[in-house]
Amino acid sequence: MMESITQGFMAQSIKILFGWTLIAALFFAILMLSWDIPMVRRHVKHIPDWPKVGMGVLRGFHRQQRLKELRRQRRLSLV
C-alpha cells in the first residue's frame, strides 16, 4: 500500500512539474513572438527593418571593395 502511495505522489509531482514547465515555455514563446511585432520593434527595441539592415551591409561591402581598389592602385603607382 505504501508503495502505491509513493508512486502516486511521484506521478503527481511529475505532472505538476511538467505543467509549470509547459506554462513557462508557452509564456516564453508568446514573449518571443510578440517581440517581433512591428510596433514593438520600432518603439521598444529600436531595431531597423531588415531591408535597411541589408542595404547598410551592402554599402559597407561596396565601400571595402572601393578601398581595396584604391590601395591596389596606389601600390601600383608607387612601384
Side-chain angles (χ1 to χ4, degrees):
M1 183 169 150
M2 196 63 166
E3 184 178 328
S4 66
I5 291 174
T6 56
Q7 283 181 348
F9 283 144
M10 184 65 103
Q12 187 66 26
S13 64
I14 290 173
K15 287 179 185 179
I16 290 171
L17 184 63
F18 178 74
W20 281 111
T21 306
L22 184 63
I23 290 171
L26 287 174
F27 175 74
F28 184 72
I30 290 171
L31 180 71
M32 289 295 113
L33 288 173
S34 67
W35 199 250
D36 200 35
I37 295 173
M39 184 178 73
V40 174
R41 175 182 288 253
R42 287 186 187 95
H43 296 292
V44 176
K45 295 189 297 184
H46 304 293
I47 294 177
D49 293 330
W50 286 114
K52 292 179 186 175
V53 172
M55 292 305 292
V57 170
L58 187 61
R59 277 192 301 271
F61 176 74
H62 288 309
R63 186 180 309 125
Q64 289 296 324
Q65 293 299 321
R66 283 191 306 255
L67 285 172
K68 259 188 203 177
E69 184 63 29
L70 288 173
R71 287 180 184 137
R72 190 181 66 78
Q73 287 176 0
R74 184 180 295 164
R75 262 186 289 152
L76 290 176
S77 67
L78 290 175
V79 174

